Amino acid sequence: MSSILSFALLFILSSTPASMASPSAPLTIITEEWPPYNFTENNTLTGFSTELVQLIMKDLNITDKITVLPGPRAIKVLEKSKRVLFFSMVMTPERKPLYKWIGPFGEQAIYFYKKKGSTLKINSLEDAKKVKSVCARESGLVSTLLKANGFTNIDAGVSPESIYLRVILGRCDLGIGETPLGVSFWLKKMNQPQDSLKQTNLKLISSSLYIVTSKDVPDEEIARWQKALNKVMASKKYSSLKQKYIGSPKVP
């Protein structure tokens, strides 16, 4: 009798549709403050990437909470913990083998900025290395790239506001850290005119944007996220998000 029951149970399990199978363990979903892609406004997490991820989660019937962490801490959680998903991530050759990648879903570039009216000619990294000071964050991708390229004139700032305000006040020759849309966002937030800063011709990095996970997340789960992302990007909702967060702001 027990063998018959075992066979019946095996038959039921083998014929259960994939949609009814046991769900994966919850994901730890994290992000950082990086407007206009992911940021907190009026105590609510918002942004282009945030709303995009929320649409994907809705499609996949995922209700896990999104937690905002400081950038360096978020990267540590991504690297040290299991079943972690992070957005938005810029792909570099060094980062590519460290995570599993979902995307791309957008493009970005990070330029050096100078004060309005500055006569500095910044067309190469060598030009930027020769100025007295370059305001940038103490850690993160931009700081890593600057140091890797031999910059010794970095004046570390804690926040984008402090970085760009110091450039506006003439306390730093150059500032770098955000995309053009991010710079526009912070100028608005600081009640500074959009032309307070001048974008130079020098670009430190340009790359597509991705969602990434820790390496332990199964490939089939990554494929489900990618499929859901592709579905969202093919819809009118994606076009609306681009217009809302990317199409409207003016590049300073």
Side-chain angles (χ1 to χ4, degrees):
M1 182 69 175
S2 60
S3 61
I4 296 175
L5 287 174
S6 297
F7 177 79
L9 180 59
L10 179 63
F11 176 79
I12 292 171
L13 290 173
S14 64
S15 45
T16 300
S19 60
M20 295 177 62
S22 298
S24 301
L27 284 165
T28 298
I29 304 177
I30 57 177
T31 189
E32 64 174 327
E33 297 283 352
W34 195 44
Y37 305 100
N38 16 274
F39 64 99
T40 304
E41 190 170 62
N42 299 323
N43 296 317
T44 300
L45 180 61
T46 187
F48 173 72
S49 305
T50 300
E51 290 201 36
L52 181 68
V53 169
Q54 289 170 337
L55 287 171
I56 295 172
M57 292 171 65
K58 183 177 180 180
D59 186 76
L60 295 175
N61 196 29
I62 294 173
T63 57
D64 301 328
K65 179 184 177 182
I66 302 175
T67 301
V68 182
L69 297 175
R73 183 180 169 194
I75 296 301
K76 285 184 179 179
V77 171
L78 177 62
E79 293 177 349
K80 303 294 184 181
S81 304
K82 293 185 177 181
R83 291 196 56 75
V84 179
L85 181 143
F86 173 83
F87 66 93
S88 309
M89 178 71 82
V90 173
M91 182 186 287
T92 65
E94 295 77 19
R95 285 176 167 179
K96 189 172 182 180
L98 300 179
Y99 317 113
K100 291 190 177 181
W101 299 79
I102 302 163
F105 62 83
E107 302 293 327
Q108 65 79 41
I110 297 176
Y111 290 84
F112 288 83
Y113 283 80
K114 62 183 181 179
K115 179 182 178 180
K116 176 185 178 181
S118 170
T119 58
L120 286 173
K121 303 295 183 183
I122 307 297
N123 297 306
S124 69
L125 290 177
E126 292 305 315
D127 290 338
K129 290 179 190 179
K130 291 176 183 176
V131 304
K132 183 177 179 181
S133 59
V134 176
C135 273
R137 296 196 197 193
E138 186 174 10
S139 61
L141 175 63
V142 169
S143 176
T144 299
L145 289 174
L146 291 176
K147 292 173 183 176
N149 280 284
F151 278 76
T152 59
N153 56 348
I154 301 172
D155 190 338
V158 177
S159 66
E161 296 104 316
S162 66
I163 290 170
Y164 293 115
L165 185 59
R166 286 157 81 184
V167 177
I168 292 170
L169 295 176
R171 296 174 184 169
C172 279
D173 298 298
L174 299 172
I176 186 169
E178 316 301 308
T179 66
L181 291 168
V183 173
S184 178
F185 174 91
W186 288 113
L187 288 174
K188 182 178 179 181
K189 199 172 184 67
M190 293 188 295
N191 294 315
Q192 295 290 332
Q194 289 291 304
D195 65 351
S196 297
L197 295 173
K198 173 68 175 178
Q199 180 180 301
T200 71
N201 296 324
L202 183 57
K203 177 169 55 179
L204 181 65
I205 184 175
S206 61
S207 172
S208 299
L209 294 174
Y210 292 83
I211 301 164
V212 297
T213 73
S214 49
K215 294 292 288 288
D216 62 302
V217 176
D219 289 344
E220 55 267 26
E221 194 169 350
I222 298 297
R224 288 197 296 272
W225 273 79
Q226 185 68 57
K227 183 178 179 180
L229 170 61
N230 294 344
K231 179 179 176 182
V232 171
M233 290 182 67
S235 71
K236 292 182 179 180
K237 292 179 180 178
Y238 180 73
S239 300
S240 297
L241 282 182
K242 287 188 70 175
Q243 179 62 32
K244 180 179 179 180
Y245 290 105
I246 297 176
S248 298
K250 295 180 181 179
V251 175

